[in-house]
Amino acid sequence: YLTLIREELHETNVEIILGILLIEMGKYVTARKYYLDLIKRTSDVNYTYLAVVHYYLGIIDTYERDLDLAESHFVEALGCLN
């Protein structure tokens, strides 16, 4: 299954994939807590990783129809890449 997810999403980081699986199962609260914990444990220099985490937080917020919060996470993701 991990191989399939990696091919579909071009994602190789198992920590990110676990969050994606939680999202796919509809466990948005758990996924949000998981990703927020990843942010706390990530160094500030790993901007690409932080961008991906903020992107998926934005996806969670979109599913939960909190579009303002989703937008802020998407903007944060873009900021990590600049």
Side-chain angles (χ1 to χ4, degrees), residues 24-27 33 38 56 62 65 70:
E24 288 182 356
M25 293 185 323
K27 298 190 177 280
K33 288 179 185 176
L38 287 181
Y56 282 109
T62 301
R65 301 195 191 288

Side-chain angles (χ1 to χ4, degrees), residues 57-58 61-62 66-78:
L57 283 167
D61 295 327
T62 301
D66 189 343
L67 301 182
D68 291 332
L69 189 55
E71 179 184 23
S72 71
H73 281 294
F74 293 138
V75 168
E76 185 73 27
L78 287 172

Side-chain angles (χ1 to χ4, degrees), residues 18-82:
L18 177 57
I20 294 168
L21 293 175
L22 290 169
I23 293 169
E24 288 182 356
M25 293 185 323
K27 298 190 177 280
Y28 305 129
V29 172
T30 304
R32 176 187 314 286
K33 288 179 185 176
Y34 176 74
Y35 280 133
L36 290 173
D37 185 56
L38 287 181
I39 290 173
K40 290 179 190 173
R41 295 186 291 129
T42 301
S43 70
D44 290 338
V45 296
N46 197 343
Y47 297 115
T48 303
Y49 183 80
L50 287 173
V52 172
V53 172
H54 278 289
Y55 170 79
Y56 282 109
L57 283 167
I59 295 295
I60 293 166
D61 295 327
T62 301
Y63 285 141
E64 292 185 326
R65 301 195 191 288
D66 189 343
L67 301 182
D68 291 332
L69 189 55
E71 179 184 23
S72 71
H73 281 294
F74 293 138
V75 168
E76 185 73 27
L78 287 172
C80 289
L81 297 176
N82 291 328

